[in-house]
Amino acid sequence: GRRQYSFLIRNIGIMAHIDAGKTTTTERMLYYSGYTRALGDVDDGDTVTDFMVQERERGITIQSAAVTFDWKKHRINLIDTPGHVDFTLEVERALRVLDGAVAVFDASAGVEAQTLTVWRQAEKHHVPCICFLNKMDKPGASLHFSIESIKKKLKANPVLLQIPIGSGKSFTGLIDLITNQQMTWRVKSRAEDGRVFETKSLSQSDDPELLQDAMEARAALIEQVADLDDEFAELLLGVYGENFDAVPPAKLQEAVRRVTLARKGVPVLCGSSLRNKGVQPLLDAITAYLPAPNERHHDLVRWYQDDLCALAFKVVHDKQRGPLVFVRIYSGTMKPQSAVLNINRNNTERMSRLLLPFADQHVEIPSLTAGNIALCVGLKQTVTGDTIVSSKASAVAAVRRAQKEKEGERKRGGEQASLVLAGVEVPEPVFFCSIEPPTMSRQADLENALTCLQREDPSLKVRVDSDSGQRRHMVTVSVAVCPIMDSSSSSLTSCEITYDEEVEEQLSPDVRDAVENGVNSSYLQGPLLGYPVQGVSTMIQSVSMEPGTSLAMLSACVSRCMLKALRQAGGQVLEPVMSLEVTVGEEHLSSVLGDLAQRRGAIRDIQSRHDSKVLLATAPLAEMMGYSTALRTLTSGNATFSLQLDIYEAMNPQHQNALLNKMAGLA
């Protein structure tokens, strides 16, 4: 039935620090599940999920790739997410719709800087996780070190389910502590693909030391799970109190699953994806311990029941098919050639085709049920974060169910049940640049491309730039500019736009929006150094333009007029100052401090967080260009940082002149 089918679905993500082996692990999963016939390699540039030219050139994952495959009667929808700090939003976008995640670690490095970032993102969305200690074949690989780093740096509770047989080049297999079985990969040459491996009972092992290690590790596992799961503790004390070794593997596995779903512990497995060892047991663990969609208890499933409710979590543009929308189906069934309602846009769209995502290849299907991830063709207005339902009637019925459910509950601050799924949290942009078409004839192409990009990437914000060098139609705009002051202080407040009464009555809404876009563009661009303008009141006194003039051209001309007025009005040059938080190891602290000093940074505080130092500082945005790359170079990739606008401060004349000279040299 429907519930049984939903239970056999796993929506998972692969996440980790850069170069921990996420994409290689994904490639092995696809190979062993039968969805690829050859082993892809990041170094060779022939991987399935890294199909973009930029990804294959750099050997890194930039955008999330969705892949669907089957493993032992289970349907696995997998998303291979970036580990590079510059693409954190891609991870956030993927985790929003996943039910479980696999955190991949380099066993020789343990928890690294970006591991902390993605782990916090998973915690924010309450996503149960499995840890995979990859690269056990490296000379410096250490099970103990990796486990301790998970405890100390992630503050997680690792539940060790496997121990390795050998280490470094002598790593040949692992022991499953749940089943007490030994799995050995007898690789005679590098050409062997790891499909065939030997499994036998641990009691048949002729290595007494290995047997003793396994017995101690299993006893520790049973004791740990009993501490975390009351049901297993009662079973242990009641039936197997005198002989822990007699605990059936099935009972222990059920208990580990409960611990994982409750996020009280994190199962830990090990292997070497590149050497084709340990990936099949990892796939078994994904189906055994990570939750099915109906185990995540989303409110919308109760409210919509059998009616369709889905979240659009990613939009990509295809040259042949147009916009392709990735959706997570929470309830109901999605079918092609059907009309759906976008709650966020309050409009109805017709979905033409429904596809199963397979990296850059897609398979058309007749329908898809709750719990799945699908790819929709034909949704031309839907953007990332939108909620798709079957009809207004189903939305109204869901409202009634939600309100009825909460009638007996205490209302907090008058909150009402929201039927719109929370979209991706997109930070405000901190970097601005200008782009223009080479000729006026390409203006429409540029605008279309930018529209597509904004649908694909919610972190991209586009505003009109007046300095486009394009041929201008006849447009006349008269404005008056004056500073506005905060009555409670001497500081300038934010900008405002007003109209002469006669002008306001004459302008249509479209023309008015174009005028305001032009004014706001000049505020953001600024008359000097390109910095945004604050504390200016603008009055539009007159607007006239010839028929056939585009709204984009009107905005550009208004912006140019505003820039002239702002230069004549004078004022003080302010620069954006960013609030900066850098997490770095103590061994790299002095290097980071020295670099910040050169960037006119001011240290507010230095705090300790576990084994790391946290720098709280402020620095001008003009000095933070390329900081991500510089920080990685200084710390060998072992640092993270966050940046947000703090305040606009007056720029020192010396720095102002230096920056002007620098800009003149670039011109």
Side-chain angles (χ1 to χ4, degrees):
R2 180 174 60 85
R3 291 186 177 180
Q4 183 182 4
Y5 181 70
S6 178
F7 184 75
L8 296 178
I9 297 173
R10 298 291 183 271
N11 293 313
I12 67 165
I14 307 289
M15 60 182 195
H17 185 89
I18 187 172
D19 286 338
K22 300 178 308 302
T23 301
T24 303
T25 301
T26 301
E27 290 295 318
R28 298 307 184 262
M29 289 180 176
L30 294 176
Y31 181 71
Y32 296 132
S33 64
Y35 272 70
T36 54
R37 297 183 178 180
L39 289 171
D41 195 328
V42 173
D43 296 329
D44 294 337
D46 58 357
T47 57
V48 173
T49 53
D50 284 355
F51 56 87
M52 292 173 60
V53 175
Q54 296 93 330
E55 293 177 313
R56 291 186 170 179
E57 285 179 352
R58 292 165 172 79
I60 63 172
T61 302
I62 295 176
Q63 69 173 10
S64 304
V67 184
T68 296
F69 61 91
D70 296 328
W71 179 257
K72 296 184 179 179
K73 299 182 179 179
H74 286 77
R75 166 65 50 83
I76 297 179
N77 299 310
L78 182 148
I79 294 183
D80 180 28
T81 61
H84 209 284
V85 68
D86 293 343
F87 309 106
T88 300
L89 182 63
E90 278 288 325
V91 183
E92 178 81 14
R93 186 162 21 190
L95 285 172
R96 174 64 185 82
V97 295
L98 297 179
D99 298 321
V102 177
V104 179
F105 301 79
D106 181 336
S108 66
V111 175
E112 298 177 85
Q114 188 64 8
T115 315
L116 284 166
T117 303
V118 295
W119 192 269
R120 291 189 192 114
Q121 288 175 299
E123 283 189 327
K124 182 174 73 173
H125 294 292
H126 308 290
V127 177
C129 295
I130 287 177
C131 294
F132 180 60
L133 304 182
N134 191 27
K135 303 189 178 183
M136 289 298 299
D137 59 307
K138 290 181 67 173
S142 170
L143 177 70
H144 176 74
F145 169 76
S146 299
I147 292 291
E148 288 302 310
S149 69
I150 292 173
K151 289 180 182 178
K152 293 180 179 179
K153 295 184 178 181
L154 300 182
K155 297 301 177 184
N157 193 1
V159 180
L160 187 62
L161 303 185
Q162 299 171 346
I163 59 173
I165 301 175
S167 62
K169 291 184 179 179
S170 63
F171 172 65
T172 57
L174 51 89
I175 293 174
D176 187 332
L177 300 177
I178 298 285
T179 61
N180 256 336
Q181 287 186 322
Q182 176 179 338
M183 288 173 275
T184 308
W185 281 261
R186 304 291 184 185
V187 180
K188 297 179 181 178
S189 68
R190 294 192 63 178
E192 294 190 29
D193 61 7
R195 279 187 184 275
V196 179
F197 58 95
E198 181 183 354
T199 302
K200 64 180 182 180
S201 173
L202 187 60
S203 60
Q204 299 175 12
S205 173
D206 54 0
D207 187 342
E209 185 177 347
L210 183 64
L211 179 61
Q212 181 65 28
D213 290 343
M215 290 176 59
E216 292 176 358
R218 190 171 196 267
L221 169 64
I222 291 173
E223 184 178 345
Q224 182 184 16
V225 174
D227 289 337
L228 298 173
D229 185 73
D230 292 340
E231 183 178 338
F232 183 70
E234 292 178 5
L235 176 70
L236 201 64
L237 295 174
V239 182
Y240 305 101
E242 296 182 359
N243 185 10
F244 284 3
D245 291 336
V247 175
K251 294 295 183 182
L252 181 54
Q253 187 178 79
E254 290 170 4
V256 172
R257 178 178 178 80
R258 288 193 298 269
V259 167
T260 307
L261 299 189
R263 301 181 69 249
K264 295 179 180 178
V266 184
V268 177
L269 300 92
C270 56
S272 173
S273 297
L274 185 62
R275 303 302 176 207
N276 311 318
K277 299 173 184 176
V279 178
Q280 297 96 325
L282 175 60
L283 284 167
D284 290 337
I286 288 170
T287 60
Y289 304 120
L290 291 181
N294 56 0
E295 293 176 300
R296 291 282 282 154
H297 307 299
H298 297 284
D299 289 337
L300 288 114
V301 176
R302 296 197 309 274
W303 296 343
Y304 280 93
Q305 296 183 354
D306 291 332
D307 292 329
L308 174 66
C309 180
L311 171 67
F313 69 93
K314 185 177 175 68
V315 179
V316 296
H317 192 78
D318 185 90
K319 290 183 179 179
Q320 280 80 30
R321 302 186 182 101
L324 303 178
V325 181
F326 285 85
V327 298
R328 160 69 192 268
I329 306 174
Y330 285 90
S331 64
T333 303
M334 186 169 274
K335 297 180 180 179
Q337 300 299 328
S338 61
V340 293
L341 173 68
N342 185 321
I343 292 182
N344 302 70
R345 313 281 151 202
N346 195 26
N347 63 6
T348 300
E349 295 194 82
R350 179 166 292 276
M351 179 174 53
S352 59
R353 300 167 65 195
L354 192 63
L355 309 172
L356 270 183
F358 182 67
D360 58 341
Q361 302 174 23
H362 308 113
V363 180
E364 192 165 352
I365 52 174
S367 66
L368 208 57
T369 54
N372 275 293
I373 289 176
L375 196 54
C376 302
V377 181
L379 301 182
K380 298 182 179 179
Q381 303 300 320
T382 302
V383 303
T384 297
D386 286 355
T387 300
I388 305 297
V389 298
S390 55
S391 64
K392 285 189 176 180
S394 68
V396 171
V399 170
R400 292 198 191 101
R401 295 187 190 105
Q403 290 175 342
K404 185 177 180 181
E405 180 181 309
K406 296 192 175 184
E407 278 179 2
E409 299 178 8
R410 182 180 299 176
K411 293 183 179 179
R412 299 180 179 177
E415 281 188 10
Q416 294 182 346
S418 172
L419 295 177
V420 179
L421 292 175
V424 179
E425 293 182 13
V426 181
E428 286 299 312
V430 296
F431 178 80
F432 303 90
C433 67
S434 298
I435 184 173
E436 63 179 10
T439 63
M440 189 63 187
S441 62
R442 304 300 298 273
Q443 177 72 29
D445 293 337
L446 175 63
E447 292 179 358
N448 181 57
L450 291 175
T451 300
C452 292
L453 285 172
Q454 287 180 90
R455 290 189 61 203
E456 294 179 16
D457 186 357
S459 65
L460 174 66
K461 307 292 183 185
V462 177
R463 297 181 178 90
V464 177
D465 186 339
S466 65
D467 292 333
S468 59
Q470 299 169 344
R471 178 173 58 86
R472 291 186 289 278
H473 295 274
M474 181 60 70
V475 180
T476 304
V477 183
S478 177
V479 301
V481 175
C482 66
I484 55 177
M485 306 294 290
D486 186 344
S487 59
S488 62
S489 69
S490 60
S491 63
L492 293 172
T493 62
S494 58
C495 303
E496 63 179 34
I497 304 173
T498 58
Y499 294 84
D500 184 273
E501 290 184 4
E502 294 183 4
V503 175
E504 190 171 15
E505 293 176 357
Q506 295 172 358
L507 298 182
S508 67
D510 289 345
V511 172
R512 181 169 175 166
D513 287 344
V515 170
E516 292 183 1
N517 284 339
V519 174
N520 289 325
S521 174
S522 69
Y523 288 162
L524 289 169
Q525 185 181 1
L528 184 63
L529 301 180
Y531 285 133
V533 172
Q534 279 196 328
V536 173
S537 174
T538 301
M539 174 173 281
I540 309 298
Q541 296 177 328
S542 66
V543 178
S544 63
M545 62 183 193
E546 291 184 357
T549 302
S550 69
L551 295 176
M553 186 56 64
L554 172 61
S555 295
C557 291
V558 170
S559 182
R560 181 173 290 275
C561 178
M562 278 294 301
L563 287 171
K564 290 181 180 178
L566 288 168
R567 290 191 183 101
Q568 292 174 2
Q572 188 177 35
V573 178
L574 304 180
E575 65 174 333
V577 176
M578 314 306 291
S579 176
L580 179 69
E581 180 180 307
V582 183
T583 304
V584 63
E586 191 166 0
E587 66 275 16
H588 299 297
L589 180 61
S590 59
S591 300
V592 174
L593 288 172
D595 181 69
L596 282 175
Q598 293 180 355
R599 297 174 184 271
R600 294 193 280 139
I603 306 299
R604 289 177 172 174
D605 193 13
I606 301 178
Q607 302 173 351
S608 295
R609 182 183 296 167
H610 310 324
D611 295 333
S612 302
K613 294 294 183 181
V614 180
L615 306 183
L616 302 179
T618 56
L621 175 60
E623 305 290 348
M624 299 306 292
M625 300 300 105
Y627 186 66
S628 174
T629 301
L631 185 64
R632 280 197 299 272
T633 302
L634 287 171
T635 64
S636 302
N638 294 310
T640 60
F641 78 99
S642 62
L643 194 69
Q644 64 182 22
L645 180 63
D646 184 35
I647 196 172
Y648 286 92
E649 289 184 350
M651 179 178 275
N652 184 302
Q654 179 183 352
H655 295 139
Q656 179 179 321
N657 291 332
L659 194 55
L660 277 170
N661 293 333
K662 182 178 180 181
M663 292 175 69
L666 294 173

